[in-house]
Amino acid sequence: MLTIVAAVEKEVFLFLDFLKNPKTFPLGKRQFYQGKLFKQEVVIAITGIGVVNATYTLTLLAEYLSLDFVFLTGCAGAFPQTGLNIGDIAIATTEIWAEAGAYTDSGWHSLEEINLPLHQQDKKQFYNVFEVPKTAKKIFPLISNFLPKGVGYKKGPFLTVSATTGNQERLYILKRRFPEAICENMEGAAVAQICTIYNLPWFECRGISNLTGEYDKNKWNINLATKHSQLMLINIIEEIGLWKP
């Protein structure tokens, strides 16, 4: 079954409109939507904001349903000088736990630097970084075919944070620590880690709602960001069938 995961309803409203024969069902403390998008049987999960909500919700699905592929969507804040503008789409190549590690007198050290893996699988240890699996990377060369008209995109590492970056000091710290990162969000690394634990291929795209480094919600456009991200995923789901392993 294809799974679509997002933090809030605004990030899946188009999917719900397109869903055929929709029904809801409970698992744990969550309600889920199920139906068909084109020829694909899908379940849609609205997790709530943050990594705990995302972890809880996706774990419920992975434990009780037979999942084949996970799409994570929503909005994100882009880092300046990445070429991403509000309304553009960011595609994750990796998800990074931006704050996990150790703060010492010599500065911040990653989980790998302090030898504290988050997960081990087939003798491979996972620290801060979870890479998009090969199955999902097959979508990368086709992205331009699925973009809404006039919308730009960029692939790169995503950072998962617990607090949005609304000042220049915090922005400088993150860009110095992760110079290749293109945007930040609040759920992605949790979803990537759970998918890794359950051997689920995952693909993440997010519409850019704002630029980081300034906290001025008057300059945000969440509606545009979430609309564009959903339109692209709808095009992908309609056109290509790689959701069975």
Side-chain angles (χ1 to χ4, degrees):
M1 183 180 293
L2 179 63
T3 307
I4 299 169
V5 178
V8 297
E9 185 172 353
K10 184 175 288 189
E11 296 170 332
V12 295
F13 75 95
L14 282 178
F15 294 116
L16 297 177
D17 286 345
F18 272 78
L19 202 62
K20 295 180 180 178
N21 304 318
K23 64 179 182 179
T24 60
F25 66 95
L27 278 178
K29 300 296 183 180
R30 292 287 188 267
Q31 288 284 330
F32 299 92
Y33 298 89
Q34 188 173 351
K36 278 196 171 182
L37 279 176
F38 310 106
K39 296 180 180 180
Q40 297 287 341
E41 190 73 24
V42 302
V43 59
I44 298 173
I46 300 171
T47 66
I49 298 291
V51 296
V52 173
N53 282 323
T55 300
Y56 171 69
T57 305
L58 186 55
T59 300
L60 282 174
L61 288 175
E63 284 289 324
Y64 291 102
L65 298 180
S66 178
L67 307 183
D68 297 311
F69 199 101
V70 175
F71 276 123
L72 174 58
T73 188
C75 59
F79 292 114
Q81 286 82 54
T82 59
L84 286 166
N85 299 306
I86 291 174
D88 286 344
I89 294 174
I91 311 292
T93 55
T94 60
E95 263 291 357
I96 302 171
W97 289 104
E99 295 154 325
Y103 290 95
T104 72
D105 290 338
S106 61
W108 179 83
H109 296 278
S110 70
L111 292 170
E112 187 169 11
E113 290 175 309
I114 62 174
N115 193 28
L116 194 64
L118 290 171
H119 178 59
Q120 182 166 326
Q121 189 168 299
D122 299 327
K123 297 184 180 180
K124 180 178 180 180
Q125 292 182 319
F126 294 84
Y127 296 93
N128 294 70
V129 179
F130 288 81
E131 185 176 358
V132 172
K134 291 180 180 179
T135 303
K137 286 181 179 178
K138 294 178 182 178
I139 302 173
F140 287 176
L142 307 173
I143 291 298
S144 60
N145 298 328
F146 304 125
L147 291 169
K149 186 176 181 179
V151 175
Y153 84 99
K154 187 178 181 68
K155 301 193 305 291
F158 284 18
L159 301 185
T160 295
V161 297
S162 295
T164 59
T165 301
N167 62 54
Q168 291 297 310
E169 180 182 3
R170 176 65 171 165
L171 176 61
Y172 172 77
I173 289 171
L174 289 178
K175 287 302 292 180
R176 183 181 60 185
R177 193 176 292 170
F178 306 105
E180 302 301 317
I182 62 173
C183 68
E184 67 177 19
N185 70 92
M186 300 178 74
E187 299 84 25
V191 171
Q193 184 172 338
I194 294 299
C195 285
T196 301
I197 290 170
Y198 286 94
N199 289 310
L200 292 171
W202 61 276
F203 175 91
E204 181 179 7
C205 69
R206 291 179 178 267
I208 299 303
S209 57
N210 62 287
L211 299 181
T212 59
E214 178 186 18
Y215 194 77
D216 183 355
K217 297 190 81 171
N218 291 321
K219 296 181 180 179
W220 293 24
N221 196 332
I222 293 174
N223 290 336
L224 185 66
T226 57
K227 178 183 177 181
H228 284 173
S229 182
Q230 289 174 83
L231 285 173
M232 192 190 77
L233 284 186
I234 286 169
N235 290 338
I236 291 174
I237 293 167
E238 181 180 18
E239 291 297 328
I240 56 179
L242 57 95
W243 320 126
K244 292 290 184 180

